[in-house]
Amino acid sequence: MAIIVERRRLTWMERTYLPQIVSGLWITLKNLFKPKVTLEYPEQAPILPPGYRGAPTLVMDSAGREKCVSCQLCEFVCPPKAIKIVPGEISGNSEYAYIEKAPKEFEINMLRCIFCGYCEEACPEKAIVLQQEFSLNGRTRAEMIRNKKQLYEAGGVLPDKIKKWKKVKDTADLEGGSH
Amino acid sequence: MEKQTVKINVNGVDYEVEAGQNVLEACRKVGVEIPHFCYHENLSVVGNCRMCLVMTGMPARDRATGQVLQKADGTFEIAWAPKPAIACGTRVAENMHVITDSDEVRRCRESVLEFILLNHPLDCPICDKAGECRLQEYSHAFGSGKSRYVESKNVKPKKVNVANKIMLDAERCIQCSRCIRISREIGGKDIFGFTKRGSKTEISVYEGADNESNYLLNVVDCCPVGALTEKEFRFEMRTWFLKVTDSICAESSAGVNTRVWSREGKIYRITPRKNPFVNDAWMSDSGRYVYDRFEKGNRLESARIDSSPSDKGYAAQRCVEILKLGKVAIVANGWQTVEEQFLIGELAKACDAKVYMASHVDEDDGKLVSADRTPNLRGALVTGLISEYPKPDLKELAEKVRSGEVKTVLCFREDLIDLGFEPKDFKSANIIYCGALENDTSRDAKVCVPLRSEFEKEGMWINRQFRVQKFDRAVEAPKNSYCDCEFLVAVLREVSGASFETPSIKRVRKVMCEKIPALRGCENVGKLGVLIDGSAFAHIAFPETDAMHFKKDSREA
Ligand code: SF4
Ligand code: SF4
């Protein structure tokens, strides 16, 4: 059903538009004397608050182990389908073979990513983290797709509070370890 | 014999159910799901997971007289059992009362789950079962959501290779013993067993056991957790990305009902689909990989005329021209759908051709891999393409080509060179090859038309019981290929002048079911298929032997 909105007729004063113009100029004038809030970007870099959601990256733990286990939960949750993972098995002679799974290939299409942070929220391993980088550019579309190597370079090391895999290994090493 | 029924009351509602079944099945049939791990309708009942605990009660009886105590309004005084009972191991009885949703039952489920999860590694992120894992589902629905366990968990063998087909992770096992029962009751051989005791009980593989069974992978489907996972599918894709399509196994005439799991046009795995009349819940291991034959880069990529690539439309046009020259023979096959075979029959009539077929017979395992390795030979009989069981080769046709009696061979899928033709015969006749794969025939044929694999089209097949079953399209077809039905309709329209107005498979199916009396009512066969009367072919000596749900003589057990 259509709703008809009654419009109030403007008064004579209002129809001159002068009060509005003057009050607008007054606001402008007030701001001339206030401290500056804008930045001279890109010469000046902004100070990013904690929890800022920049580009998603992959991180390693303090021992240099890649944390991602290619569970593909981030791929599933990502609203614009920016993430593409090819899961793989950790080879038997790696010291982390007991973790069994790691990504063979991991791609994030930065043209698609909307910096929502859902991937970080979904990750059970705290392996994908939105960090501070926000200015991304490239000359081709292909350049804007970050592969696994680039994602780890951008991510670096992020120490873990909970060392769950270490606990798994320690228990196993304790030869049958329980009771 | 008339089916006997009993009255039961589930959560306060009265139902009339079949007598003799257990409470779990009875409840399931009236729409009340009782969670369970170890119970499987096709296996014996062991009742060791304790997940299906429910409260049961029977009408109270007078101790002195044994009379059932009935209240004035006709209802009963219910004597509830003091403790919960397992629904899978309890038979329904007249006037039994069952409660599945009380606080007590919920507490039972929560406690059972807490027990099961005590030593579970909780490694869902790296577990292939995640997404279709009962332990996950039930923990989510009935679990407490937190753990009180602070000790370290038990350590058990991981990454154990079983017969090169399965990866066993004993830590994830919840000791339901389904795998033990499947290999014993379905595979006919003991492969798995429990070792150690108490909380250290672990599932192990018998050392030196002969694991050559072709039915081993059924344990993977039935393992309620990720203890047994398929090696081929290991870490390939998470299950929630996969699209499921109902299909039929193309391995043999058993017509096993399957599910095809695919993502973005790639098939990742095939699993059995329940059909109590055909395969229960099982399928062979070899049948799970039939899609391989279409993925090895030997697809017929584009249409060819005289060995040079061409547009598929031109190729079809060229087929029509050649067919019009006359003296035509058509080589059909048992992988084609009934609809295609029907169209071939029409085409054969239109160009006065005889239809030839070759049989593909191998060993029958007496279960779900039957001797006839084509899924739809019965279809060719029902549609009247052939009237006898075909010979294993096409020497007869080759002779006719040599004598000049046949000038054009329209061959579908089969490799003529394999079946008695010689390369020089390709000079003396016009050979047209239509199929999804390259083979020796396609390389030398005058015209090649790329068609679709059985995963890229839909249709119906008729299995060894004369059961008409339908399968759906699982993945997209390569863009240069012709849909088999479309191609046949296009050619038929040109050759005969009159035909179907639209080449849709539904339309073809409708016309077919009207024209062929045996197929009447088969337009929509549903998920379980429709059994048709095959008595007209009782004189044919089929190679299949008695097997699961199949008796050679009476056709169905
Ligand atoms: S931040 Fe959002 S859009 Fe970007 S990759 Fe993560 S989930 Fe996808
Ligand atoms: S980054 Fe996290 S959520 Fe994504 S695949 Fe790796 S472990 Fe899973």
Side-chain angles (χ1 to χ4, degrees):
Chain A
M1 200 186 71
I3 299 171
I4 294 165
V5 180
E6 285 290 335
R7 294 222 173 187
R8 183 176 62 85
R9 271 189 72 79
L10 298 182
T11 62
W12 175 85
M13 233 344 224
E14 278 168 342
R15 263 181 287 150
T16 64
Y17 293 103
L18 286 175
Q20 280 69 31
I21 290 169
V22 173
S23 63
L25 286 173
W26 175 240
I27 291 174
T28 314
L29 193 75
K30 269 200 306 194
N31 273 300
L32 269 183
F33 302 102
K34 279 195 183 159
K36 204 165 67 175
V37 292
T38 49
L39 273 182
E40 296 283 334
Y41 182 81
E43 284 77 23
Q44 268 177 320
I47 298 160
L48 301 174
Y52 179 81
R53 298 201 308 253
T57 59
L58 289 175
V59 298
M60 286 177 278
D61 73 358
S62 33
R65 172 183 75 84
E66 63 168 317
K67 288 210 238 169
C68 173
V69 296
S70 62
C71 72
Q72 296 181 291
L73 288 176
C74 52
E75 181 175 354
F76 185 69
V77 80
C78 177
K81 298 198 192 307
I83 303 178
K84 196 169 156 214
I85 300 168
V86 181
E89 187 162 5
I90 300 180
S91 85
N93 36 32
S94 153
E95 68 174 299
Y96 299 115
Y98 67 98
I99 302 176
E100 297 186 42
K101 211 177 162 190
K104 222 185 276 167
E105 196 37 81
F106 198 121
E107 275 176 6
I108 302 184
N109 186 339
M110 293 315 302
L111 292 167
R112 286 190 171 189
C113 175
I114 54 169
F115 302 87
C116 62
Y118 279 13
C119 49
E120 178 173 341
E121 199 176 322
C123 181
E125 302 286 328
K126 297 214 178 308
I128 190 163
V129 181
L130 272 71
Q131 300 200 41
Q132 308 244 307
E133 184 187 5
F134 59 84
S135 162
L136 300 132
N137 44 54
R139 278 159 301 178
T140 59
R141 276 164 191 271
E143 255 177 62
M144 296 301 286
I145 300 176
R146 294 189 152 179
N147 63 20
K148 182 171 145 179
K149 191 161 154 273
Q150 291 165 318
L151 288 168
Y152 273 115
E153 271 164 14
V157 171
L158 210 71
D160 233 341
K161 282 202 207 85
I162 306 162
K163 299 193 168 53
K164 73 169 186 184
W165 287 110
K166 190 168 173 299
K167 202 171 155 213
V168 168
K169 183 143 175 41
D170 291 348
T171 321
D173 287 347
L174 266 173
E175 177 259 333
S178 55
H179 307 311
Chain B
M1 198 183 75
E2 213 181 297
K3 262 190 196 162
Q4 289 186 338
T5 59
V6 290
K7 274 200 207 66
I8 61 166
N9 178 297
V10 182
N11 300 333
V13 187
D14 284 321
Y15 298 99
E16 183 105 13
V17 298
E18 209 177 299
Q21 56 183 339
N22 59 37
V23 173
L24 198 150
E25 281 296 341
C27 288
R28 170 150 56 191
K29 278 176 199 145
V30 301
V32 179
E33 279 292 330
I34 298 175
H36 57 277
F37 291 110
C38 70
Y39 173 75
H40 190 289
E41 60 178 323
N42 301 112
L43 298 173
S44 55
V45 176
V46 289
N48 57 5
C49 76
R50 315 312 286 179
M51 191 62 201
C52 63
L53 287 172
V54 291
M55 297 306 294
T56 59
M58 292 298 290
R61 284 168 191 274
D62 190 300
R63 286 192 179 236
T65 61
Q67 281 294 316
V68 172
L69 296 174
Q70 205 154 8
K71 289 188 208 150
D73 58 355
T75 56
F76 299 101
E77 186 86 47
I78 298 300
W80 292 100
K83 297 218 172 137
I86 47 170
C88 69
T90 310
R91 288 254 170 98
V92 287
E94 188 68 30
N95 291 324
M96 180 185 256
H97 280 54
V98 181
I99 288 185
T100 70
D101 61 357
S102 66
D103 281 343
E104 186 165 11
V105 173
R106 264 191 288 274
R107 244 193 344 270
C108 287
R109 291 177 185 165
E110 194 183 303
S111 313
V112 168
L113 277 170
E114 185 173 19
F115 242 129
I116 291 178
L117 287 171
L118 278 189
N119 280 304
H120 190 83
L122 300 178
D123 55 354
C124 306
I126 58 161
C127 175
D128 273 337
K129 197 77 177 187
E132 52 180 14
C133 170
R134 290 216 176 183
L135 188 53
Q136 263 188 338
E137 285 162 14
Y138 293 159
S139 301
H140 190 256
F142 310 113
S144 82
K146 49 188 187 293
S147 168
R148 295 184 286 168
Y149 192 66
V150 288
E151 292 82 1
S152 358
K153 301 203 171 200
N154 277 342
V155 177
K156 291 177 184 174
K158 290 171 95 76
K159 285 209 264 186
V160 182
N161 181 350
V162 183
N164 245 333
K165 287 181 187 167
I166 295 176
M167 274 291 193
L168 168 76
D169 187 320
E171 282 185 0
R172 292 183 190 148
C173 170
I174 58 164
Q175 284 85 34
C176 74
S177 85
R178 271 185 176 189
C179 55
I180 300 180
R181 283 173 285 148
I182 291 174
S183 38
R184 181 179 300 158
E185 293 165 24
I186 308 298
K189 226 179 270 165
D190 274 320
I191 291 168
F192 300 98
F194 286 135
T195 51
K196 307 197 184 162
R197 310 190 70 180
S199 69
K200 299 210 169 183
T201 307
E202 70 190 36
I203 187 77
S204 341
V205 186
Y206 283 126
E207 253 181 70
D210 168 18
N211 298 339
E212 291 306 299
S213 164
N214 194 21
Y215 291 87
L216 201 55
L217 285 174
N218 288 310
V219 300
V220 173
D221 304 321
C222 289
C223 178
V225 292
L228 297 159
T229 50
E230 188 180 344
K231 250 188 130 184
E232 194 82 3
F233 181 62
R234 183 173 159 86
F235 301 160
E236 284 292 315
M237 192 46 65
R238 318 260 23 220
T239 53
W240 52 79
F241 288 115
L242 300 176
K243 181 187 88 174
V244 188
T245 315
D246 286 353
S247 189
I248 303 291
C249 181
E251 190 188 21
S252 76
S253 62
V256 171
N257 290 216
T258 58
R259 288 204 174 102
V260 178
W261 304 69
S262 62
R263 184 188 186 195
E264 291 170 8
K266 181 171 154 44
I267 297 175
Y268 282 88
R269 64 170 178 183
I270 298 181
T271 58
R273 174 162 56 93
K274 264 193 192 157
N275 186 336
F277 306 109
V278 181
N279 56 314
D280 292 338
W282 322 117
M283 81 179 284
S284 66
D285 296 357
S286 41
R288 289 169 198 254
Y289 306 115
V290 283
Y291 62 89
D292 276 359
R293 57 168 100 126
F294 298 106
E295 286 198 344
K296 297 263 165 68
N298 56 346
R299 284 297 291 263
L300 181 54
E301 301 277 346
S302 80
R304 282 199 302 260
I305 301 177
D306 294 325
S307 304
S308 48
S310 116
D311 178 73
K312 63 179 184 181
Y314 288 134
Q317 199 50 45
R318 189 85 189 98
C319 287
V320 172
E321 284 162 19
I322 295 176
L323 288 177
K324 279 186 176 160
L325 296 178
K327 293 195 178 172
V328 183
I330 302 178
V331 177
N333 64 60
W335 285 278
Q336 286 172 313
T337 64
V338 189
E339 293 88 345
E340 288 156 34
Q341 290 171 338
F342 166 69
L343 289 171
I344 287 180
E346 298 292 301
L347 184 63
K349 268 184 238 156
C351 50
D352 197 19
K354 186 165 163 23
V355 179
Y356 293 83
M357 274 177 85
S359 66
H360 295 265
V361 177
D362 212 328
E363 211 174 303
D364 198 312
D365 73 351
K367 285 176 190 149
L368 292 171
V369 184
S370 68
D372 189 339
R373 292 298 157 86
T374 62
N376 193 27
L377 190 106
R378 306 287 198 284
L381 290 166
V382 171
T383 50
L385 292 191
I386 50 172
S387 52
E388 285 301 323
Y389 200 81
K391 301 207 177 67
D393 56 44
L394 294 170
K395 291 214 175 92
E396 193 189 327
L397 177 61
E399 278 310 318
K400 287 197 175 153
V401 167
R402 278 166 214 152
S403 71
E405 204 177 313
V406 169
K407 278 276 172 220
T408 300
V409 179
L410 176 60
C411 171
F412 289 92
R413 184 165 176 153
E414 301 281 17
D415 184 5
L416 297 176
I417 303 280
D418 252 6
L419 299 170
F421 275 61
E422 276 167 37
K424 68 173 184 344
D425 298 331
F426 282 66
K427 302 245 158 41
S428 43
N430 291 320
I431 311 271
I432 303 170
Y433 174 81
C434 313
L437 296 177
E438 288 284 7
N439 58 23
D440 286 337
T441 306
S442 71
R443 271 181 271 279
D444 289 335
K446 203 161 192 75
V447 182
C448 287
V449 183
L451 296 183
R452 301 199 168 160
S453 77
E454 44 266 22
F455 298 103
E456 295 154 4
K457 60 186 179 189
E458 59 173 310
M460 305 196 294
W461 281 334
I462 303 179
N463 80 349
R464 57 183 172 189
Q465 310 160 323
F466 279 95
R467 179 177 291 277
V468 185
Q469 307 190 98
K470 102 176 168 351
F471 59 94
D472 289 330
R473 190 180 70 174
V475 291
E476 279 299 321
K479 66 175 187 304
N480 287 327
S481 67
Y482 243 126
C483 168
D484 303 39
C485 267
E486 236 170 77
F487 168 72
L488 282 164
V489 170
V491 172
L492 185 56
R493 187 185 285 146
E494 292 293 319
V495 173
S496 72
S499 192
F500 316 107
E501 56 268 38
T502 47
S504 90
I505 177 127
K506 302 239 157 45
R507 175 87 193 130
V508 174
R509 191 176 294 161
K510 187 155 182 282
V511 174
M512 172 181 80
C513 293
E514 277 162 15
K515 277 203 177 176
I516 297 176
L519 289 175
R520 204 147 285 159
C522 290
E523 237 175 274
N524 192 0
V525 295
K527 278 195 187 302
L528 300 181
V530 169
L531 205 60
I532 59 168
D533 180 21
S535 55
F537 310 102
H539 63 281
I540 296 176
F542 290 110
E544 289 98 345
T545 59
D546 287 359
M548 193 181 278
H549 293 295
F550 176 71
K551 281 263 182 302
K552 205 171 162 55
D553 305 317
S554 62
R555 280 209 176 81
E556 188 168 20

